[in-house]
Amino acid sequence: MPVGGLPQNRPSDGDPTVTMIASRPSNLKRINSRQSRHLRFNEEDVDQRIEVERGDLTPTSGSISPGSKTIISFSHGDPENPINWSTRKKTVVILVGVVTVINSTLGSALPGGATQYLASYFHITSQEQLVLPISMYLVGYVFGPLLFGPLSETYGRKRIMMWTFSLFTIFTLACAVAPTWPTLLIFRLIVGIGAACPVSVVGGLYADILNDPVERGRAISMFMAATTFGPLLGPIISGFVSVVGWRWTFWVGFIIAGVSFIPLLFLPETYGPVILQKRAQRMRKETGNPNIFAPIELEKKGVKQMMTVTLTRPVRMILFEAIHILSSSKASFLDPLFNVEADRLTGIYGMSTGVSALPFIPIGIGAIIACGIFIYYDSILQRAKSRNAHWSTIEENRRLPLACLGGPLYVISLFWLGWSASPHIHWIVPTLAGLPFGIGFLLIFMALINYLTDAYEIFAASALAAASCARAVFGVVLPLAAKPMYDRLGVNWASSLLGFLSLGMTVIPFAFIRYGDRIRANSKFCQYLLERKMEMEESMASQEPGRSSGEELVGGEKS
């Protein structure tokens, strides 16, 4: 019988006892831990932790014997389980996630409209150096997700988000008072590291509280829309504010971050294993029994475990998971392309700093349209499920058709922009290319990010961290290579080259739809999660009324 969703087999003589506590401390289910070699726990580590607890707590005479261990888990309908939280509480979590993500993505593009003022103040003449305030921020995006995604799966979402957003806020302020160019770049790197947390953790945050794929998909669509509007607003804000002074660009960012910190204070912990850990700690103090543990407390810990397992999880996904390799390749190529193309409009049409950011507005309109398309498709899918249509039962059909629609629209936008950006054609024509770009960009992103979240579930933070890391690498490299490419090929053919590369990648969602079941079958992470899900369902069934096997009366209540 599973304990907390973990597999167990038959007992063997001589092993200590493992007990499961469901939703209340008094609900105990005693299970012989001859099964414990299958629990994925380190038994020696358990004993060491018991000795530490015994030093702080004096067991009562009625406590469980030192040779036994009590493992707690959520029961069906447990109010502390984030899946069972009220709609109001879940809404708070969703909105806090959106606010932090907007700050993160807004910060990435904030210096975009202040470039000429930074160049004048610090006497920078090299175009390669002028892209560094954004590129250094994106370098932080490369390394931050590799830390914060997996760490949030060990220490919880709230703690990691509070630490990193504090880092983000403090060093945004530091950018506003930076005395030298190298100092500003270092501060931007640190801000980028802190900003990497929301884009890699918020998806996991939503996966924690939303068990229904429909609700989770809609929350992720809000998250993705937020990641789109941040880069759009950043250049517009800085383009007009930097006229007063480039430092005001970062003062505005600091003010927005400071206001956003207030709702973050009300964010509850959403990661189930950490919630159980806090419950176990509370129960040890209340009962004086040092043998009560949450499953996460019995996992192997230490620097070696952290370095070889936890922190390498996103890297292993990038290198060995076909789902991730293909999704990241597609998504990573999207992010920087239109920014590169839109920057060319400033030079072609001689736009002022503030006005040059306005061509991003059609992208925002396109993103809004994409959200409407997402919701509409979701309603079609739900109606198909209600009448048991075969196509609606296939995992890949839940999200990926949206990417199949978005891919061609994205390619069209690149060719449109490239071949209409000319001094002889009114600027509104290439600007309107942002409309299909915004629709295609967000449809692809919503489809792939939702697909990754659905596929990796409890490891969603690590999956999104790996995706963020891959996108940031492209975001750093492509702008640096853009100027030489455009100078050599010209706007028309440079844009066409990017369009043809994007066209080649449109086959990826079609490949997932055709071969997705085989790809998931070969994924170690997906198979492990499928196994855990089956075990948790068995665990929940074992706690239903009327089950007598293994039940024992403890404290006057039946477990």
Side-chain angles (χ1 to χ4, degrees), residues 240-393:
F240 289 104
V241 170
S242 58
V243 175
V244 180
W246 68 265
R247 296 185 187 277
W248 270 101
T249 296
F250 299 106
W251 279 115
V252 170
F254 170 70
I255 292 169
I256 295 172
V259 172
S260 301
F261 205 94
I262 297 173
L264 183 60
L265 295 173
F266 297 95
L267 178 71
E269 178 56 62
T270 65
Y271 192 50
V274 171
I275 295 174
L276 286 175
Q277 180 182 22
K278 292 179 179 179
R279 176 186 288 183
Q281 292 169 350
R282 183 175 68 247
M283 292 171 62
R284 288 195 291 266
K285 290 181 181 179
E286 291 174 353
T287 64
N289 177 11
N291 301 330
I292 300 173
F293 292 98
I296 195 172
E297 294 179 293
L298 305 182
E299 295 174 355
K300 265 190 171 182
K301 295 290 173 66
V303 176
K304 181 180 178 181
Q305 180 78 2
M306 181 69 65
M307 298 300 294
T308 60
V309 178
T310 304
L311 294 182
T312 63
R313 190 178 296 136
V315 178
R316 284 182 281 124
M317 287 180 174
I318 292 174
L319 295 179
F320 304 117
E321 288 285 298
I323 294 176
H324 216 292
I325 292 171
L326 294 173
S327 298
S328 295
S329 299
K330 175 72 172 173
S332 300
F333 199 65
L334 302 177
D335 235 357
L337 283 192
F338 201 85
N339 289 333
V340 169
E341 298 264 3
D343 287 344
R344 310 304 295 183
L345 295 179
T346 303
I348 293 173
Y349 292 102
M351 295 177 174
S352 65
T353 306
V355 174
S356 66
L358 296 181
F360 288 97
I361 292 177
I363 303 178
I365 297 173
I368 294 172
I369 295 172
C371 288
I373 294 172
F374 179 91
I375 294 172
Y376 177 70
Y377 174 77
D378 211 38
S379 65
I380 293 175
L381 179 64
Q382 295 314 305
R383 287 198 296 269
K385 283 185 175 181
S386 65
R387 63 175 185 269
N388 297 320
H390 175 68
W391 70 270
S392 67
T393 62

Side-chain angles (χ1 to χ4, degrees), residues 133-170:
I134 292 178
S135 293
M136 292 299 288
Y137 190 98
L138 294 177
V139 169
Y141 261 35
V142 174
F143 297 105
L146 299 179
L147 294 172
F148 306 135
L151 286 177
S152 74
E153 293 164 350
T154 299
Y155 298 105
R157 317 294 191 196
K158 181 175 182 177
R159 184 183 301 181
I160 299 299
M161 290 191 69
M162 291 288 290
W163 289 347
T164 55
F165 202 79
S166 298
L167 188 75
F168 171 82
T169 305
I170 291 169

Side-chain angles (χ1 to χ4, degrees), residues 394-427:
I394 301 172
E395 182 73 21
E396 281 67 30
N397 288 342
R398 185 187 297 165
R399 312 293 185 193
L400 295 176
L402 294 171
C404 296
L405 172 63
L409 289 172
Y410 184 83
V411 173
I412 289 170
S413 71
L414 292 177
F415 283 106
W416 180 344
L417 178 62
W419 289 94
S420 63
S422 167
H424 307 294
I425 301 175
H426 194 278
W427 61 267

Side-chain angles (χ1 to χ4, degrees), residues 519-536:
I519 295 173
R520 283 185 286 110
N522 291 323
S523 166
K524 292 182 179 179
F525 280 98
C526 290
Q527 292 308 304
Y528 169 70
L529 289 170
L530 180 61
E531 175 189 339
R532 281 196 59 164
K533 185 180 290 187
M534 294 174 65
E535 291 162 357
M536 290 179 70

